[in-house]
Amino acid sequence: MSSTFEHLELPLSQIDNLTALGYTTMTPIQEAALPPALDGKDLIAQAKTGSGKTAAFGIPLLNKLDITRFDVQALVVCPTRELSNQVADELRRLARFKSNIKIVVLSGGVPTRPQIASMEHGAHVVVGTPGRLKDMIEKKHLDLTQVETVVLDEGDRMLEMGFKEQIVDLLEFAPKERQTLLFSATFPEDISYISRRFQKNPMEIAVESQHGMETIDQQFYICHHKEKLAGLVRILASREYDHAMIFCNTKALVQDVVGFLNEKGFNAVGLHGDMEQREREQVYMQFKHHSTNLLVATDVAARGLDIAALPAVINFELPRDGDTYVHRIGRTGRAGLEGEAITLFTEKESYKLENLGKMQGHAMEYESIERLPQVRKNRVEPKYLTLYISGGRKDKVRRGDVLGAIIKEAGVAGEHVGKIDVVDHSTYVAIERDYAHQVVSKLNQGKIKGRRFKVGRL
Ligand code: ADP
Ligand code: MG
């Protein structure tokens, strides 16, 4: 049984805020981490994506802030710009219990100038990527001397990305008297090193992190190497998924698969590590908004993305190890919903299937891909189209302003509008396809919050 947040020593305004956010019970990691973290202890915690880690460190760090002091009191280090933005967004929601908490993102891949400007207005919490944070410290735009909480989010991923030295350098700039919360999905030696060097008697927390898997229907299809793309089409055409992720082991395959699927009339976008941040953000938004049905990704690119509860996950090939397989398919069958995990594999990969069988305690059954019918029609139109607006949070654009402009200026009812994501310098809006043209042309002529912005389709 999970308990409610009311058992914690939190201001009532925060309890109310959590209730407003729909957080009624704590997730297991929150239940384990919040009491010691609120008590000021250092933690080394293990939990999978989507387990609610942000609130596990966010609630304690926000609780400690003295907002009458205009210095950086908490630092959250994340592996990528997207993750930094996701964490900052969640922190802003959690910070609604108090007014005037300032949270700034300092991440790489975007110009520094606006970031410097936002630091000049003062920040209580800084979220960012290691390289950029270090750079900002060296250029004296960021001062860590008053920091009381440091969080390393997705520590193992940061190390995989080669950030070890930057992290070590960064931590050296923070005062010794501070709380350090380290989150990592795995505990490789480098993580233990960081922990030994920078934490004080850390409490170890590992939440039973394996997905239950009972709610996932795992299916395996063997096919010839040359038949893989055609095999994938058979799977997709027989299921007509409107939201599914397809995993590939390499960047090159992601590109091949995306190209092939679009040629065959599917709506697919690809995500891999070599893409520019902006492009990655746009791909992520399109998928999140249901403006495309299929997201083809490598494991590294997909890690940490807040996309869960998918109806299906497809493995274009088996990953190198069983943990990655579990991690991939754990994006479906969540929260008691049924999910499908479909894997294509070749004769050469059958040893990996055997390993999966050993891991799960029973042999995995499989069929030939020939068993699936060849279907002609394979068009599931996405419900939405994502529009891009050239103004974001830094331009003081809010969700309500955008929705208001769509209703008033473009004359389209709110029910045709899907998700709206306001990021630093842009806003992404999901709009039902039939209304996209009207909204783009009207908003380009009209104003949002009294200002003109460029509006286009992604
Ligand atoms: P992680 O960092 O572990 O991947 P997040 O902190 O991003 O996970 O949380 C995943 C999702 O769960 C977010 O959408 C968040 O708003 C939601 N969430 C977090 N804690 C709770 C809770 N106690 N109750 C309901 N939803 C929650
Ligand atoms: Mg996270």
Side-chain angles (χ1 to χ4, degrees), residues 130-243:
R132 179 61 57 94
L133 288 169
K134 194 181 160 209
D135 192 48
M136 294 296 246
I137 294 171
E138 284 165 356
K139 301 209 170 105
K140 307 268 185 265
H141 300 300
L142 172 62
D143 173 7
L144 296 187
T145 57
Q146 304 304 315
V147 161
E148 295 181 354
T149 318
V150 171
V151 179
L152 301 175
D153 194 13
E154 311 230 359
D156 50 349
R157 169 121 191 253
M158 292 201 278
L159 295 174
E160 274 169 31
M161 292 172 75
F163 287 140
K164 184 173 170 186
E165 273 172 35
Q166 270 123 316
I167 292 172
V168 169
D169 290 350
L170 265 179
L171 292 176
E172 293 289 353
F173 284 105
K176 290 248 157 6
E177 270 308 309
R178 57 141 203 268
Q179 182 178 20
T180 310
L181 306 174
L182 170 54
F183 288 81
S184 191
T186 57
F187 291 150
E189 170 48 30
D190 278 349
I191 286 286
S192 316
Y193 166 81
I194 299 268
S195 171
R196 282 195 306 273
R197 178 149 170 201
F198 294 103
Q199 294 194 293
K200 282 191 217 97
N201 300 323
M203 195 170 143
E204 281 179 38
I205 294 179
V207 172
E208 234 357 285
S209 69
Q210 298 286 286
H211 188 295
M213 305 252 275
E214 305 81 28
T215 51
I216 306 177
D217 176 12
Q218 300 181 66
Q219 301 163 38
F220 298 89
Y221 291 101
I222 190 160
C223 80
H224 288 295
H225 184 70
K226 282 192 208 133
E227 302 286 309
K228 273 210 157 165
L229 287 167
L232 178 63
V233 166
R234 281 190 194 225
I235 292 172
L236 294 172
S238 64
R239 306 298 205 284
E240 303 196 342
Y241 296 122
D242 62 358
H243 216 211

Side-chain angles (χ1 to χ4, degrees), residues 5 22-27 30 48-55 86 90 93 153-154 304 306:
F5 290 93
Y23 295 11
T24 45
T25 53
M26 293 189 262
T27 66
Q30 291 164 359
K48 66 180 163 106
T49 304
S51 56
K53 289 189 290 283
T54 320
Q86 278 177 23
E90 174 81 348
R93 284 190 284 271
D153 194 13
E154 311 230 359
D306 190 12

Side-chain angles (χ1 to χ4, degrees), residues 43 57 128 153 211 253 287 453:
L43 302 182
F57 60 74
D153 194 13
H211 188 295
L253 265 175
F287 187 62
F453 293 103

